[in-house]
Amino acid sequence: ALGAIQTSAYILQFPYYRMTNSGSRGVAVPLDYYRALIWLRDNTPQRSIVVDPGGLTISGELPTTWIAERRAWLPTSYTESILVPPHGSSVPRRAALWAAFMRDPGNADVASLIAGEADYLVVPREVRSPFWTLVSRSGSWMIYRSVARSRTDA
């Protein structure tokens, strides 16, 4: 009887969190975003680095690491609090680079810096940049391959 009660409590917590819009207990990942991450997992090398702003809207979570199973280029303001970058690293400027990139993905200086550090970019919008090539799409989410990094892989 005790096992049935524990199992019921465990199973019913997730619908409860969803009904109460609790963001502190459960994580809801949009289906198109999830499918884009699955595509990355199934179609990219394991050592790929992915620029993924999807984690910006999911507090404290980074779906690239646990759904796509890939390393992430963190374009967030809390990057510096998570990572301890070595002296001279580009990590401290990533939040500013990302903000500049989202304002103007065609900005060659910014796009080339990001494309030089990451293999893939997954975003919920179209990006027109000579540094990124569209390789897949899942609904509104688009997956781009870095032109700069793909040249070094050959």
Side-chain angles (χ1 to χ4, degrees):
L2 182 58
I5 293 170
Q6 289 175 326
T7 301
S8 296
Y10 177 78
I11 291 171
L12 294 174
Q13 72 180 327
F14 301 107
Y16 173 78
Y17 295 147
R18 181 159 281 208
M19 290 182 339
T20 60
N21 293 320
S22 174
S24 66
R25 302 275 186 201
V27 175
V29 177
L31 183 58
D32 289 340
Y33 176 47
Y34 173 80
R35 287 181 176 154
L37 294 175
I38 292 298
W39 186 94
L40 284 164
R41 184 195 69 199
D42 294 344
N43 296 282
T44 64
Q46 282 187 317
R47 299 209 30 90
S48 297
I49 298 172
V50 178
V51 179
D52 176 16
L56 293 173
T57 60
I58 304 172
S59 179
E61 300 291 337
L62 191 58
T64 304
T65 59
W66 51 274
I67 296 174
E69 300 173 8
R70 297 297 177 264
R71 297 180 297 161
W73 186 94
L74 299 172
T76 67
S77 56
Y78 62 83
T79 298
E80 296 151 49
S81 65
I82 294 173
L83 302 175
V84 179
H87 180 69
S89 169
S90 66
V91 171
R93 69 174 192 256
R94 286 183 180 172
L97 275 175
W98 181 250
F101 181 74
M102 291 313 295
R103 277 192 305 277
D104 180 13
N107 179 323
D109 293 335
V110 173
S112 67
L113 286 171
I114 296 172
E117 294 182 1
D119 301 296
Y120 293 90
L121 166 69
V122 56
V123 287
R125 64 182 254 194
E126 186 176 337
V127 170
R128 294 182 188 266
S129 169
F131 299 96
W132 297 99
T133 302
L134 183 66
V135 292
S136 186
R137 179 183 193 142
S138 178
S140 63
W141 285 84
M142 316 234 178
I143 302 168
Y144 295 87
R145 171 87 168 111
S146 165
V147 173
R149 301 263 301 190
S150 63
R151 287 187 193 137
T152 61
D153 291 345

